[in-house]
Structure formats: structure tokens, C-alpha cells
């Protein structure tokens, strides 16, 4: 991840050299690029057999070689209107799919555009790794409790905070516990993905800040009745695509795309949150069963799939505003949220 952010190429065993397009520098050029299936679809490649499989990496070449400006125009859909793409583009057979998927996963985790020059000229010294290293990096089983403390908050002055850390991941998650933990009462739980713009800056484009505040208030009310609650605050901005890519998606939304299409035009998944890590956090807190605050049936299914026992889905809907009404409607109509 550090290499990707510095613009250094990756040497994944069994694959050609892969140079991240967004952060690359120097006089680089290549005859092929690696991109995601969703970005390939926006480039009209999905009708070609080699690019037809959904969610699979796509190896492509153009009529001309890709220098860095041309490669960045392919990688960043925000440049589509300003930089007409110089096709035609052709998808090619990809014989190193596992390594390609690993590279695109690492790009998402690093918060850079999921696009690489393949075996470019004049590339610098590469960072070597195996495709299996990515799976080890995202293995939730290595997550452990790092620290605990009392943390009075506005909703509950007797709250406690628990911090979690993995030796393989720079993201540090926290849990806020409100009320007295009891094996006899099923806790009210909210899995809340970090949203800098909504939680901290008060953005009106989403409902994250109000959802966070309302969840804490609901847990405080549970505590007043002898129950308790847990807020899992997950460091996975933008549903797992990172703050920079989330802002890129905002720019695309300003051009008329909804939240789902904005992500897919970037070549990123609409849903990339880390549910196994949430399950591991609950395991470390000795929580076996939860009442989950969510309007998203897919979140219920995803947590259940990684071993979380969900006794009840507790609705968590809030009023819209003129800036997020379309966003909430998209969550309802395209993501199945129950609003």
C-alpha cells in the first residue's frame, strides 16, 4: 500500500510489472493497462469475451501506447468530459487473474484509482509480493484489542471505548460501549463506517452524521432501561473506497450520476466494507448475539454470513433533506434499503 501511494511498481509473482497510474511519475509508457470490469464497461469493452465476466479484472490495449496522461484519462472518469479517450480499446486474454485481482484490491485499500500500466518502460525498482499476501493483510483473525478507556460522551457520560489493531493493517477501529455489559441482555449494535464529511464536517449529502448521533442516543435510552449498546466505528471511509475516491464519486454525482454509478465508473465496488472485521470485534468483546440497527437487509445478511447471530433488525431511518434525498432514494431503489 505504501508503494502504491508513492507510485512505485508492484512485482507480483507470476504477473508482469504493474505500475499504479494515479501516483506514477516520470517518462513512463506501456502498451497495456489493467483496469476493473466496471471501468471496462464504461469504456464499452463489456461486449468483448475477455471483458464480459463481471467483477473480473480486465487487461486492455489501445490503438496507441499509453503514456501517463493517456493512462490517467482511462483511469479517472472525472476526466472523461475534458479528455476524449483515444480508442479503440481491445480487451485481451488475462492469464494471471489472481495477481490482477490482488493488485486491484490493494489499490482500493490504498485509496488510489484501480488502474495499472502493465510492464511499462522506464519503471523504477519494484516492490515484490505474492498474490496471497493480500489475503493475509485482510485477515480479520489477527485483529486484537489494543487499549480500553472510559470516554464520557454527550449521549452517555459513562461510556467506554475499546480500540482494536491488527499487525497487518494500518486502520484502527474502535467500539464505544454504552451501559453495563450483560450476558442476559442482547446489546443494541450499530456498525458505523467512518464518514469524515458527515460525522465531522456535518455534510448534508449523506445521513451519516445524524445516523451516528441517533444511534448513540438510542443506546443511551437502552442503558436507561437496563440494557446496553455497542457502536462499532469502522475505519472504512466511503463504504471501503477511501476519502479521496469518495470525493471523486461526489464529483461524478455533481455530473448527474447516482452513488452506485459513480462508484462503478471509478472502477470501484459500491460495497467494499469489511464485515469479517466487525464480526471479529464483536468476538473480542465476547458478544454472541446482537440487535442490529440498520435499514440495510444486505448488511444483516453479510454479518450473518461471517458468523454474527442477529436476533433482530432494528430500523434506523432519519428524515431526508434537499441535499441527500436523491442519495437516500438510490439506497432504497438500487441497494434495497428499507427507508
Amino acid at each position: 500500500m505504501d508503494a502504491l501511494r508513492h507510485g512505485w511498481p508492484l512485482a507480483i509473482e507470476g504477473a508482469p510489472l504493474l505500475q499504479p497510474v494515479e501516483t506514477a511519475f516520470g517518462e513512463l509508457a506501456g502498451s497495456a493497462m489493467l483496469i476493473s470490469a466496471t471501468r471496462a464497461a464504461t469504456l464499452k469493452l463489456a461486449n468483448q469475451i475477455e471483458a464480459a465476466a463481471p467483477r473480473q479484472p480486465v487487461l486492455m490495449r489501445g490503438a496507441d501506447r499509453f503514456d501517463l496522461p493517456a493512462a490517467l484519462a482511462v483511469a479517472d472518469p472525472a476526466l472523461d468530459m475534458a479528455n476524449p479517450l483515444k480508442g479503440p480499446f481491445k480487451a485481451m486474454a488475462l492469464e494471471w487473474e489472481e495477481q490482477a485481482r490482488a493488485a486491484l484490491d490493494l489499490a482500493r485499500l490504498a485509496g488510489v484509482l484501480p488502474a495499472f500500466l502493465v510492464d511499462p518502460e522506464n519503471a523504477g525498482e519494484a516492490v515484490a509480493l505474492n498474490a496471497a499476501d493480500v489475503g493475509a493483510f485482510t485477515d480479520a483473525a489477527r485483529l486484537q484489542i489494543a487499549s480500553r478507556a472510559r470516554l464520557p460522551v454527550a449521549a452517555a457520560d459513562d461510556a467506554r471505548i475499546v480500540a482494536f489493531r491488527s499487525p497487518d493493517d494500518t486502520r484502527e477501529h474502535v467500539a464505544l460501549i454504552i451501559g453495563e455489559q450483560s450476558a442476559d441482555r442482547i446489546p443494541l449494535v450499530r456498525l458505523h463506517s467512518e464518514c469524515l464529511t458527515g460525522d465531522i464536517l456535518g455534510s448534508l449529502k449523506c445521513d451519516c452524521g445524524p445516523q451516528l448521533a441517533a444511534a448513540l442516543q438510542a443506546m443511551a435510552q437502552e442503558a436507561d432501561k437496563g440494557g446496553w449498546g455497542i457502536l462499532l466505528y469502522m475505519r472504512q471511509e466511503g463504504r471501503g473506497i477511501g476519502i479521496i475516491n469518495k470525493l471523486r464519486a461526489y464529483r461524478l454525482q455533481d455530473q448527474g450520476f447516482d452513488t452506485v454509478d459513480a462508484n462503478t465508473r471509478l472502477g470501484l465496488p459500491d460495497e467494499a466494507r469489511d464485515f469479517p472485521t466487525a464480526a471479529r470485534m464483536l468476538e473480542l468483546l465476547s458478544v454472541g448475539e446482537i440487535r442490529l440497527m440498520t435499514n440495510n437487509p444486505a448488511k444483516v445478511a453479510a454479518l450473518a454470513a461471517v458468523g454474527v447471530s442477529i436476533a433482530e433488525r432494528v430500523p434506523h431511518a432519519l428524515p431526508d433533506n434537499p441535499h441527500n434525498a436523491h442519495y437516500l432514494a438510490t439506497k432504497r431503489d438500487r441497494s434495497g434499503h428499507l427507508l
Side-chain angles (χ1 to χ4, degrees):
M1 287 174 62
D2 187 57
L4 289 174
R5 291 183 177 182
H6 280 86
W8 301 333
L10 301 179
I12 304 178
E13 185 175 357
L17 207 66
L18 297 174
Q19 175 76 51
V21 169
E22 179 184 346
T23 54
F25 54 89
E27 298 296 324
L28 297 175
S31 59
M33 287 184 63
L34 177 70
I35 59 175
S36 73
T38 51
R39 185 59 180 148
T42 67
L43 299 177
K44 311 301 182 186
L45 292 174
N47 62 341
Q48 300 182 28
I49 293 175
E50 295 84 357
R55 296 180 295 280
Q56 294 298 317
V58 175
L59 180 65
M60 59 163 278
R61 64 174 172 80
D64 301 314
R65 293 177 65 77
F66 298 103
D67 59 14
L68 279 183
L72 188 59
V74 169
D76 190 350
L79 304 177
D80 285 352
M81 294 184 178
N83 296 277
L85 295 174
K86 298 178 181 179
F89 300 119
K90 179 174 177 57
M92 300 185 293
L94 179 59
E95 299 176 353
W96 33 278
E97 286 187 8
E98 182 184 6
Q99 295 89 337
R101 284 194 297 270
L104 294 179
D105 282 345
L106 277 175
R108 177 184 59 80
L109 290 167
V112 301
L113 291 168
F116 293 83
L117 280 170
V118 178
D119 206 13
E121 299 170 357
N122 302 319
E125 183 177 355
V127 175
L129 71 154
N130 294 312
D133 293 338
V134 179
F137 176 79
T138 56
D139 184 4
R142 290 169 62 82
L143 191 77
Q144 297 294 334
I145 292 176
S147 184
R148 300 173 185 259
R150 187 178 69 87
L151 184 70
V153 297
D157 60 10
D158 59 349
R160 289 96 63 207
I161 191 167
V162 183
F164 302 81
R165 175 187 288 161
S166 169
D168 303 314
D169 193 343
T170 56
R171 296 170 299 175
E172 295 167 335
H173 311 286
V174 298
L176 189 72
I177 301 173
I178 294 177
E180 289 300 318
Q181 184 166 349
S182 169
D184 299 327
R185 300 292 293 267
I186 301 174
L188 183 64
V189 173
R190 171 70 181 167
L191 193 166
H192 188 91
S193 295
E194 176 184 40
C195 179
L196 171 69
T197 49
D199 298 343
I200 305 301
L201 302 178
S203 168
L204 299 177
K205 285 181 69 70
C206 64
D207 57 347
C208 300
Q211 279 193 333
L212 175 60
L216 294 177
Q217 288 294 335
M219 292 173 193
Q221 292 171 9
E222 282 288 310
D224 290 341
K225 296 182 291 185
W228 62 299
I230 308 171
L231 173 79
L232 300 181
Y233 196 85
M234 311 288 295
R235 301 297 302 277
Q236 45 190 13
E237 183 83 42
R239 292 191 166 203
I241 67 173
I243 182 64
I244 302 298
N245 282 329
K246 184 175 87 168
L247 297 184
R248 288 190 174 109
Y250 279 179
R251 288 187 63 186
L252 291 173
Q253 290 170 34
D254 289 341
Q255 294 175 15
F257 297 100
D258 67 25
T259 53
V260 174
D261 288 338
N263 278 31
T264 56
R265 288 187 74 84
L266 285 166
L268 295 163
D270 176 53
E271 176 60 87
R273 286 177 287 189
D274 187 349
F275 294 105
T277 292
R280 174 62 176 164
M281 292 168 71
L282 291 170
E283 178 186 3
L284 291 170
L285 294 172
S286 301
V287 175
E289 191 173 21
I290 67 172
R291 297 165 56 225
L292 183 66
M293 296 186 72
T294 183
N295 300 319
N296 185 2
K299 183 185 286 188
V300 176
L303 285 171
V306 293
V308 178
S309 177
I310 300 173
E312 179 188 3
R313 183 190 71 83
V314 179
H316 191 46
L318 295 168
D320 61 11
N321 67 60
H323 301 278
N324 70 11
H326 183 59
Y327 162 78
L328 295 177
T330 299
K331 289 207 295 185
R332 178 195 66 213
D333 298 337
R334 300 197 62 183
S335 301
H337 285 226
L338 306 172
L339 300 179

